[in-house]
Amino acid sequence: MSRGRRRVVRGLVILGSVLAFLSVFAIWTERQALNTDDWVDTSGRLLQNDTIRERLADYLVDQLYENVDVRKELEEILPGDTKDLAGPAAGGLRQVAGQGAEKALETSTAQDLWEEANRTTHEQLLAVLENKKEAVETDEGNVRLNLGSLLTNLAQQVGIGEDLAEKLPPDAAQVEILKSDELKTAQDIAVAIKGLALLLSILTFLTFALAIYLSRDERWVTVLLSGIGLVAAGFAVVVVRHIAGGIVVDQLVKDESVKPAGEAAWSIGTSLMTSIATTVIVVGVLFLAAGWLASPTGGARTTRRFLAPTLRFHPGYVYAGLAILVSFYFLSGPTHGLRAFLTTLLVAAMAAAGIHELRKQTEEEFPEATYDETFGRTRDKVVGAVKDANISEKVGEQASKLRLPEMRRPDKDEGASDEAATATMPVSQEDARLERLERLGTLREKGVLTDEEFAAEKARLLGGDSSAS
C-alpha cells in the first residue's frame, strides 16, 4: 500500500472514531428526550433516589402551603373550641408534612402518579415538537409537568381533607418544561437530533468500512485500528460525561443545598449515555478480535488452521450462526427505530464481509485442510508430549513397586523338618506370583500398562521366580 493511500486510511479511521464519539451524544439525546419509554424509565429512577426524593418532598410541601390555606382547612376539620388551635397546628403540621411527604413518595401509589405525570407530559411534549396541534391541548404552547395529583395525595397523607384537588389553583405544583417562545427552536432541534443520530451512526461504520476496503493487504491492521478507535471513543464519552457533570450542575444549580440532588439527577439522567458508550466499546473489542484473527501472529494462524475445515466445508452454518445472533439481538431488546435497525444491519454486513475474507485467507493458507488433518495434528502433538514425558517408564516403575516381598523359608530350629519346608515353599511362591500377575493384568485392563509393557513385566516376573527356584 502506497504512503498516500496509507495516510487516507489512517485519516478515515480517525474520522470514524470522532463520528463514533459524536454519535453517542446524538443517540443519547434522541432516546432520552424523544423516547417516551426512556423518559419515563429515567424519571422513575429519579424518584427512587433518596436525595432527589427529599428535594421533591420539600417542593411539594412548599407548594401545598403556597396554594392552600392550611389553617382554614384545619379549622373546618377541628371541632368546637379547638378551632383556635388551627394556627399553631398548621405551623407544626408543616414540619410533620416534610417528613411525611418523603415517606409518601416511597409508596407505590406515589410512584405510579409520578410516572403517569411524566408520561403524560412527555407525550404532550412530543406532540408539540412534532407540531400535532390537534393531538394535545397546551397553554399557548407551554408544556408543564403537572404534579397536582402528587400534591393531592400528600394532602391526604397528612390529613388535610380529600377534596383538595378542587381547591388547588390550575398552576399549583406545575414544573415548566417548555415555554411558548422556545417552541420553534425546540422543534428545529428535535428534527435535527433525529436526523443527526441516524446520520452519524451510519457514517461511522461506513467510514470504517471504506478505510478497511482501501487497505488491501493491510486490512487486518486497519481493523485493529478501527477497534482501538471505537474503544477510545467509548472511554472518551465516559470521561466527558464525568467532567461535564460538574460544569452543568454548577451552571444550573446555584443553591448549594440543592446541588447534591442536581448531581444525582445528572448521574441518573446520563446513565443511558454510559450504556451507549459501553456498547461502542464492546463493538470495538469485536473489531480488535477480528483484526487479531486475521493477523500473521502464531496464535492467530493456529486459530485459523482450527477454523479452516468449518469455513471450507460448512460456510452456510457460519453465516446462519451470524444471522441467528443478529435475530437474537433484535428479539432480546428494543431497536429504537430506524436508526438502530440500519446500523445493526450495517454491522452485520461488515461481519459477513469479514467472514468472507477469512474464508479466502484460510483457503490460501491451508488449501487441503480437513478435520482429520487439523485434529490429527493435535492428536500427534498430544502423543508426542506423552512420549517426551516418559510416562511409560514411570508407569513401569510404579508397577514394579506392587511386587510383594519374598517369602522367608522357615528355619530348621523352629521345629520344621526339611521335608515340611520343601513342601511349604513352592506353595507360598506360587500364590505370590499369581497375585502379582493378577495386579499386572488389572493395570493393563485400566490402560495404565500397554500390552508390550505388560508382556515385559510378566517375563521379568516369571524369569525372576525361575531363577529363585
Side-chain angles (χ1 to χ4, degrees):
M1 185 168 59
S2 64
R3 180 177 300 179
R5 182 185 288 266
R6 184 176 289 107
R7 290 178 178 176
V8 172
V9 169
R10 300 294 187 269
L12 288 173
V13 170
I14 295 174
L15 176 60
S17 303
V18 174
L19 291 175
F21 174 80
L22 296 176
S23 66
V24 173
F25 292 97
I27 295 170
W28 169 73
T29 305
E30 178 193 46
R31 290 180 55 183
Q32 193 65 77
L34 303 180
N35 185 283
T36 300
D37 290 335
D38 287 325
W39 175 294
V40 174
D41 177 70
T42 301
S43 66
R45 288 187 287 119
L46 288 174
L47 192 58
Q48 293 171 6
N49 182 269
D50 295 338
T51 305
I52 296 176
R53 190 168 56 247
E54 179 182 354
R55 299 306 307 173
L56 179 60
D58 293 340
Y59 170 77
L60 290 176
V61 171
D62 291 341
Q63 287 292 302
L64 177 63
Y65 275 79
E66 287 178 9
N67 293 282
V68 177
D69 189 347
V70 177
R71 176 176 179 176
K72 182 179 180 181
E73 294 293 330
L74 291 177
E75 286 179 351
E76 295 179 359
I77 297 174
L78 294 174
D81 296 336
T82 60
K83 294 182 180 294
D84 294 335
L85 300 175
L93 185 60
R94 181 162 191 158
Q95 297 180 354
V96 176
Q99 300 174 357
E102 188 174 352
K103 294 293 183 182
L105 291 175
E106 295 179 3
T107 64
S108 58
T109 301
Q111 296 278 345
D112 292 341
L113 291 173
W114 170 261
E115 291 189 3
E116 181 181 352
N118 276 276
R119 183 174 294 277
T120 301
T121 300
H122 194 266
E123 290 174 351
Q124 183 187 65
L125 174 65
L126 290 182
V128 171
L129 293 178
E130 295 173 3
N131 202 22
K132 297 179 180 178
K133 298 180 180 179
E134 71 283 356
V136 63
E137 294 182 3
T138 62
D139 184 11
E140 298 180 355
N142 295 328
V143 179
R144 295 185 176 91
L145 175 62
N146 188 354
L147 301 179
S149 56
L150 274 176
L151 187 59
T152 303
N153 180 259
L154 171 61
Q156 294 174 358
Q157 293 289 334
V158 298
I160 313 180
E162 299 181 356
D163 58 346
L164 184 63
E166 300 176 357
K167 301 178 181 180
L168 285 174
D171 59 346
Q174 292 196 10
V175 181
E176 196 162 57
I177 304 296
L178 179 67
K179 297 181 180 180
S180 57
D181 57 357
E182 300 171 342
L183 178 58
K184 183 62 171 64
T185 302
Q187 289 175 336
D188 294 340
I189 292 176
V191 173
I193 288 174
K194 284 187 175 181
L196 191 62
L198 175 61
L199 180 63
L200 289 178
S201 299
I202 295 178
L203 281 180
T204 297
F205 292 104
L206 286 179
T207 303
F208 285 131
L210 180 59
I212 295 170
Y213 173 77
L214 294 176
S215 298
R216 293 184 177 177
D217 296 336
E218 298 181 6
R219 284 176 180 168
W220 69 271
V221 178
T222 305
V223 174
L224 277 177
L225 293 177
S226 300
I228 294 173
L230 287 171
V231 172
F235 279 111
V237 170
V238 176
V239 173
V240 170
R241 169 183 177 257
H242 178 73
I243 297 175
I247 299 175
V248 171
V249 172
D250 288 340
Q251 292 294 323
L252 297 181
V253 182
K254 303 302 181 182
D255 189 347
E256 291 295 329
S257 63
V258 184
K259 281 191 176 182
E263 292 171 353
W266 172 264
S267 177
I268 296 172
T270 57
S271 60
L272 180 61
M273 183 191 301
T274 303
S275 177
I276 299 171
T278 302
T279 302
V280 172
I281 293 174
V282 171
V283 174
V285 171
L286 294 177
F287 269 70
L288 289 173
W292 171 84
L293 184 59
S295 69
T297 60
R301 182 178 175 83
T302 301
T303 304
R304 291 196 299 272
R305 179 188 293 276
F306 180 80
L307 296 175
T310 302
L311 293 173
R312 180 181 181 184
F313 298 110
H314 304 290
Y317 292 156
V318 178
Y319 290 112
L322 175 62
I324 290 174
L325 288 177
V326 175
S327 301
F328 179 77
Y329 172 79
F330 279 115
L331 294 176
S332 62
T335 57
H336 302 290
L338 180 63
R339 174 195 53 77
F341 177 76
L342 292 178
T343 52
T344 302
L345 287 184
L346 186 56
V347 173
M350 293 180 67
I355 293 174
H356 175 73
E357 292 298 321
L358 184 61
R359 286 189 62 211
K360 289 174 57 179
Q361 184 175 0
T362 55
E363 287 178 358
E364 293 175 0
E365 291 179 320
F366 316 107
E368 299 180 357
T370 62
Y371 287 109
D372 291 338
E373 188 268 344
T374 300
F375 292 104
R377 287 175 175 269
T378 304
R379 183 181 63 251
D380 293 341
K381 289 182 179 179
V382 173
V383 172
V386 171
K387 290 182 178 179
D388 293 339
N390 295 323
I391 294 179
S392 298
E393 295 182 5
K394 294 180 180 179
V395 171
E397 294 176 359
Q398 294 297 324
S400 64
K401 295 179 181 179
L402 296 176
R403 296 178 181 178
L404 295 177
E406 297 293 337
M407 300 298 294
R408 187 171 61 87
R409 295 183 61 176
D411 297 331
K412 292 182 179 181
D413 56 4
E414 293 179 355
S417 63
D418 292 340
E419 294 179 359
T422 305
T424 305
M425 184 74 176
V427 175
S428 299
Q429 289 180 341
E430 183 68 19
D431 291 341
R433 182 177 62 181
L434 290 175
E435 185 175 352
R436 289 196 293 269
L437 287 173
E438 288 178 356
R439 292 189 178 184
L440 288 175
T442 301
L443 290 174
R444 182 180 63 173
E445 292 176 357
K446 292 182 177 180
V448 177
L449 295 176
T450 63
D451 292 340
E452 293 78 5
E453 291 170 341
F454 172 77
E457 289 296 324
K458 180 180 178 182
R460 183 164 55 181
L461 176 60
L462 295 177
D465 289 340
S466 300
S467 61
S469 62

